[in-house]
Amino acid sequence: MINASQLLKIDEERLIAKMSDYLHSLCAQKEVGGVVGGLSGGVDSAVLFSLLVRSLGQKSVHAMYLYDQDNEWSQGANAQHVADWLKIELKAENLEKLKGDESSFNTTAVRIARISPVINRLIFRLYRLFAKESPFVSSLRAGSRAAKTQNVVLEYIDRYADELYYARHRYRRQILEEEAKAHNWLVLGAANRTEWEVGWFVKGGVDDLPDQPLIGLYKTQVRQMAAYLGVPENIRKQAPSADMVRGVSDEYAIGMRYSTLDLGLDYLADGVSLEDLHSAGVTDKDVQRIREMKELSQWKRQGMAIPPAVDGSIRGGLRVGY
């Protein structure tokens, strides 16, 4: 049975060369003395910082780990592990102290989410059972222009998500931008193409920054690069998570595996064939759900674009066999 890794495989060396050219050109254009970004301890930021160090050198790359009381301890340890591996300094800061706004980290939604990972997963499961869609899809619906009508349920979901998740991502972006301004650095985000295309990011947050070097790579391709670059195994093997709602991984919240999302999105972009898609186990129903997420999240992507130099689709010229 064919899989996403085979169908979406890219030429790693070609990507590294193109990424280096892109980063040097971007820094020259912006006239900055270095770059800074959030090192979360996840695979995306690990790949980003590995590419940054390879391209720009350790002295030009600056990493921050911005946490609060709801972050898992392991994420901070993972972020430090990546920094040590790359031999760069990691500046860890407590977001609550930096913002001086305790109420934002102690809302009703946050207090409920702290009770138990099991309860968090149960809430998500019950919501999907009764609403026939994930809370994530409902949040996209709440934010889309088509949903700007009187809908009490969607308004509540949007407010709940803002209290639980959105605000803290916007805080992280603010802190990074302040750090960049103080040192004449460029802020870079670690968003990947999969999350960008389905809207799995916070508008105005750290994954909505103007410059996102990995924005052209599907999650499958980011994982491929992680293996090629030698990212520590414990970072590569962990379940992707925004580390905001304990017990709820990215795939659980979105309601679909990344491999399915990647192949469905690539098919919609005139990439993989329908025959290969079905051979990989992706159904027409899966494609329909992916198309709906992409359409509902269009409002989030306004003003953002994929740099041609780091485009992991067939038309980007990085794919093996094309």
Side-chain angles (χ1 to χ4, degrees):
M1 183 176 178
I2 198 164
N3 59 40
S5 296
Q6 295 168 303
L7 291 169
L8 302 176
K9 185 171 175 56
I10 56 176
D11 184 324
E12 298 96 340
E13 283 299 321
R14 196 186 309 168
L15 172 65
I16 289 171
K18 283 193 169 188
M19 183 67 75
S20 181
D21 290 343
Y22 168 70
L23 290 169
H24 279 285
S25 175
L26 187 62
C27 289
Q29 177 189 344
K30 304 283 186 175
E31 298 182 336
V32 295
V35 296
V36 63
L39 184 55
S40 67
V43 69
D44 297 302
S45 62
V47 168
L48 173 62
F49 275 88
S50 179
L51 291 169
L52 291 175
V53 168
R54 277 176 174 252
S55 301
L56 305 175
Q58 292 160 326
K59 292 183 178 179
S60 297
V61 179
H62 310 277
M64 296 187 73
Y65 176 64
L66 299 169
Y67 64 94
D68 59 71
Q69 61 180 300
D70 294 300
N71 289 110
E72 296 282 0
W73 177 88
S74 60
Q75 288 301 103
N78 287 344
Q80 189 61 62
H81 187 187
V82 173
D84 292 342
W85 169 61
L86 293 173
K87 295 180 173 59
I88 59 174
E89 183 180 354
L90 178 66
K91 186 176 181 181
E93 298 278 6
N94 186 319
L95 195 61
E96 295 171 77
K97 292 181 179 178
L98 286 174
K99 293 306 297 180
D101 182 10
E102 186 177 338
S103 61
S104 296
F105 300 90
N106 205 29
T107 63
T108 301
V110 171
R111 289 197 298 272
I112 292 172
R114 286 175 184 153
I115 296 173
S116 166
V118 175
I119 291 177
N120 291 335
R121 288 193 295 272
L122 179 61
I123 290 172
F124 273 70
R125 189 178 303 125
L126 289 174
Y127 184 91
R128 281 197 293 262
L129 178 65
F130 289 104
K132 307 302 181 184
E133 66 182 24
S134 68
F136 165 62
V137 172
S138 292
S139 73
L140 293 179
R141 206 178 297 282
S144 66
R145 289 184 176 181
K148 297 303 182 183
T149 57
Q150 293 300 317
N151 187 313
V152 176
V153 175
L154 290 181
E155 287 180 3
Y156 178 79
I157 289 170
D158 200 39
R159 185 171 67 253
Y160 186 90
D162 191 77
E163 292 180 354
L164 180 63
Y165 186 73
Y166 300 162
R168 287 183 284 179
H169 271 249
R170 290 193 290 263
Y171 284 165
R172 283 171 169 77
R173 174 171 173 169
Q174 291 171 16
I175 297 301
L176 288 170
E177 289 177 332
E178 289 168 7
E179 188 80 2
K181 185 176 181 180
H183 300 280
N184 188 34
W185 296 336
L186 175 65
V187 186
L188 297 176
N192 61 61
R193 183 175 188 146
T194 311
E195 294 163 358
W196 182 72
E197 293 244 28
V198 300
W200 183 246
F201 64 94
V202 175
K203 191 66 178 171
V206 289
D207 291 328
D208 188 33
L209 286 158
D211 299 300
Q212 307 271 1
L214 303 183
I215 202 73
L217 302 180
Y218 296 114
K219 187 75 170 188
T220 298
Q221 295 167 335
V222 173
R223 285 171 167 160
Q224 176 191 333
M225 287 304 302
Y228 183 82
L229 293 166
V231 170
E233 186 176 11
N234 66 309
I235 308 297
R236 290 189 282 117
K237 299 297 184 183
Q238 65 182 321
S241 171
D243 196 23
M244 290 288 178
V245 183
R246 293 179 182 175
V248 179
S249 67
D250 288 349
E251 290 177 321
Y252 193 89
I254 296 171
M256 192 174 288
R257 295 180 63 84
Y258 273 110
S259 56
T260 302
L261 286 166
D262 290 345
L263 289 173
L265 288 168
D266 198 60
Y267 167 74
L268 292 173
D270 297 323
V272 297
S273 68
L274 185 62
E275 181 182 359
D276 283 341
L277 193 74
H278 289 165
S279 295
V282 181
T283 67
D284 292 339
K285 185 176 180 180
D286 291 331
V287 174
Q288 183 179 349
R289 290 172 60 200
I290 293 167
R291 181 184 283 111
E292 181 183 36
M293 285 187 277
K294 187 172 180 177
E295 290 174 352
L296 286 173
S297 62
Q298 181 59 40
W299 61 275
K300 283 189 170 184
R301 290 186 294 277
Q302 293 177 1
M304 296 176 69
I306 295 174
V310 290
D311 187 346
S313 68
I314 287 177
R315 69 191 62 179
L318 294 172
R319 295 271 271 277
V320 173
Y322 294 93

